[in-house]
Amino acid sequence: MGSFVSQFFLKSILVLFFLQVSLATRHLMELVRDQQSQLLHYHNGALLSGKISVNLIWYGKFKPSQRAIVSDFITSLSSQPSKTTTQQPSVSQWWKTTEKYYHLTSKKSTLSLDLGKQILDESCSLGKSLSSKQLVQLASKGEKQNAINVVLTASDVAVEGFCMKCGSHGSALGSKAAHINGKIPKFAYIWVGNSETQCPGQCAWPFHQPIYGPQNPPLIAPNNDVAMDGMVINLASLLAGTATNPFGNGYYQGEPGAALEAASACPGVYGSGSYPGYAGKLLMDSTTGASYNANGDNGRKFLLPALYDPSTSSCSTLV
């Protein structure tokens, strides 16, 4: 009898032990999952909403064909062609990941991007060596309400911090005439540099041999222009960051100014199975051999960075 009671208590203790271990493991898994889902914290700031114009300020000389690559990318973000003419995956499909951030907020706002004005400054009115302050000055040439003003600098224009970064985004005060409740609204802006002669290994990878890391052969650019296809990658990343963190108090992780955002949280990821030095499994154009992962307007093909998907807590790729 005593042996039976001892065995009963021993089994009970073991059951309780394994139950506690199971509960602790489940709690730990839930804690890790919660931490992952909160990788990009929302800092309760305003997001862009409604119809937003993307104005392009071309600083320096760009060929019309080069400008067309970028403008076609912008119009592809919100284009809704019929299923019979749309090739998937598409640029607009890629952009839909940013909408998930808007659904997480209590305001439930929506964002629609359209190509706005294109301003040419081929004579480089501020010179060929620009400071961050001058970038804001150039961005101010675009509309200052319901707009994202994008400054694109030519290959022979030096910009403060270029190569340490391939572009940046921020916000500046808009027009005093457009004040709301006594406050001057802010507008969002982006700068992207052309890396044709300046650090293409950093800003045009994977279409150019990298400076550091694994030396895999570079991919063929989908629009036959290494620098411009690289600019599209960087512009896409910064547009995603602008949409989800336009004024520095939206979705991000880390210190302001050096924070992880929707695209920068997934560095170097373009397709499934990616790892350092390998962009991942991509689509290939059967005629040109170019690598891409998104179809756009006017038969364009683009390579776009992975975006962090808050609904799956992972870097989401189109392919």
Side-chain angles (χ1 to χ4, degrees):
M1 181 73 177
S3 174
F4 173 79
V5 172
S6 297
Q7 289 179 359
F8 174 78
F9 277 111
L10 178 60
K11 289 181 179 178
S12 298
I13 291 171
L14 287 173
V15 168
L16 286 172
F17 172 75
F18 284 115
L19 181 61
Q20 288 177 333
V21 171
S22 176
L23 288 171
T25 301
R26 189 172 67 180
H27 178 71
L28 179 61
M29 290 175 65
E30 289 175 349
L31 181 63
V32 170
R33 188 163 55 246
D34 288 343
Q35 288 176 338
Q36 287 178 336
S37 64
Q38 296 173 5
L39 174 63
L40 301 184
H41 296 280
Y42 181 46
H43 295 77
N44 300 313
L47 300 180
L48 301 176
S49 62
K51 187 176 180 181
I52 301 294
S53 295
V54 180
N55 303 303
L56 305 178
I57 297 110
W58 298 93
Y59 192 79
K61 292 186 177 180
F62 289 87
K63 299 175 184 177
S65 59
Q66 293 179 315
R67 296 198 298 268
I69 293 172
V70 174
S71 60
D72 283 345
F73 166 66
I74 298 298
T75 60
S76 300
L77 290 167
S78 57
S79 61
Q80 300 294 333
S82 65
K83 293 181 180 180
T84 57
T85 60
T86 305
Q87 288 187 306
Q88 298 295 329
S90 67
V91 174
S92 58
Q93 179 185 344
W94 170 82
W95 185 249
K96 284 186 180 299
T97 297
T98 63
E99 296 176 2
K100 297 181 180 182
Y101 289 85
Y102 284 69
H103 297 159
L104 291 174
T105 68
S106 58
K107 299 168 186 175
K108 299 290 189 292
S109 58
T110 58
L111 171 65
S112 174
L113 298 184
D114 291 299
L115 179 62
K117 297 178 181 178
Q118 298 199 50
I119 301 169
L120 304 185
D121 189 344
E122 294 185 324
S123 62
C124 295
S125 60
L126 299 181
K128 291 192 174 184
S129 182
L130 301 176
S131 65
S132 298
K133 186 177 181 180
Q134 287 174 312
L135 290 177
V136 178
Q137 186 178 343
L138 288 171
S140 297
K141 290 186 175 185
E143 297 171 1
K144 300 181 182 65
Q145 193 171 5
N146 299 322
I148 300 173
N149 295 334
V150 181
V151 178
L152 302 114
T153 51
S155 60
D156 59 346
V157 176
V159 177
E160 180 183 358
F162 194 20
C163 293
M164 292 183 65
K165 55 187 177 182
C166 305
S168 61
H169 78 90
S171 62
L173 291 177
S175 171
K176 292 182 179 180
H179 67 86
I180 302 173
N181 297 326
K183 294 183 179 180
I184 301 174
K186 292 182 177 180
F187 70 92
Y189 70 87
I190 291 172
W191 158 67
V192 182
N194 184 315
S195 64
E196 181 179 355
T197 57
Q198 301 178 67
C199 53
Q202 291 161 273
C203 296
W205 185 84
F207 302 127
H208 191 281
Q209 202 76 20
I211 297 176
Y212 309 107
Q215 297 297 302
N216 294 323
L219 305 178
I220 298 175
N223 294 288
N224 197 33
D225 192 316
V226 169
M228 295 308 298
D229 278 301
M231 288 186 84
V232 168
I233 290 175
N234 298 317
L235 175 56
S237 175
L238 292 164
L239 273 173
T242 300
T244 55
N245 185 31
F247 307 116
N249 52 9
Y251 288 94
Y252 70 88
Q253 177 69 285
E255 295 297 322
L260 293 179
E261 295 180 329
S264 58
C266 305
V269 180
Y270 297 93
S272 59
S274 65
Y275 54 81
Y278 173 60
K281 185 179 180 181
L282 303 173
L283 302 174
M284 182 177 289
D285 187 295
S286 58
T287 302
T288 64
S291 296
Y292 68 101
N293 60 6
N295 293 281
D297 288 354
N298 297 321
R300 294 280 187 191
K301 292 177 171 60
F302 299 101
L303 184 64
L304 304 179
L307 296 180
Y308 183 79
D309 189 332
S311 66
T312 61
S313 302
S314 63
C315 292
S316 175
T317 61
L318 287 171
V319 294

